[in-house]
Structures are given as structure tokens and as C-alpha cells.
Amino acid sequence: MKRILVVDDDAAHRMMLCAMLRDEGYAAQEAHDGAAAVEAVKQGFFDLVLLDVRMTEMDGIEALESIRTLSPG
């Protein structure tokens, strides 16, 4: 089963995306901001990370740079 990390500071968008992905048979996990996304990637591999670009604290671009360092593939 493919693992997908959905990262968005808007809880409604995040939950909707995860629900749709789960309905399609994916293992979707949520992260509420960029820092939480980086921590999730430290804990395990994801086949795909969907990132909101504009978030408070750590934005999607900063998170992507950290995630690519942790998991270049």
C-alpha cells in the first residue's frame, strides 16, 4: 500500500484530502505544518508528500528542502 503524507495548516483541506486518498486505497497520514511533516519523514518513508506552500512557522518550500535531505528518493 502506498503511503502518502498530506501537509496543510488548514484542517478541513487536510482531512478532506486524506479521506479521499483513503477511499482510493492509500495509507494517508496528516501533518499540520512543515515541522510536523519533517518529523513524520524522520519516523518513516512516504511514497508521496503533498505539501501546502503557504503555512505558518515552516512553509512548504522549507519543509521540502528538509524532507529531500532526509529522504532524497
Side-chain angles (χ1 to χ4, degrees), residues 3-50:
R3 295 185 67 216
I4 300 175
L5 178 62
V6 178
V7 187
D8 197 328
D9 56 350
D10 183 318
H13 285 156
R14 191 175 65 240
M15 291 182 344
M16 185 248 339
L17 276 170
C18 282
M20 290 175 58
L21 290 167
R22 289 178 186 128
D23 286 347
E24 293 297 321
Y26 296 101
Q29 183 175 329
E30 301 179 35
H32 64 280
D33 64 14
V38 172
E39 285 303 313
V41 171
K42 285 180 182 178
Q43 300 299 316
F45 176 80
F46 290 91
D47 296 289
L48 178 67
V49 178
L50 298 175

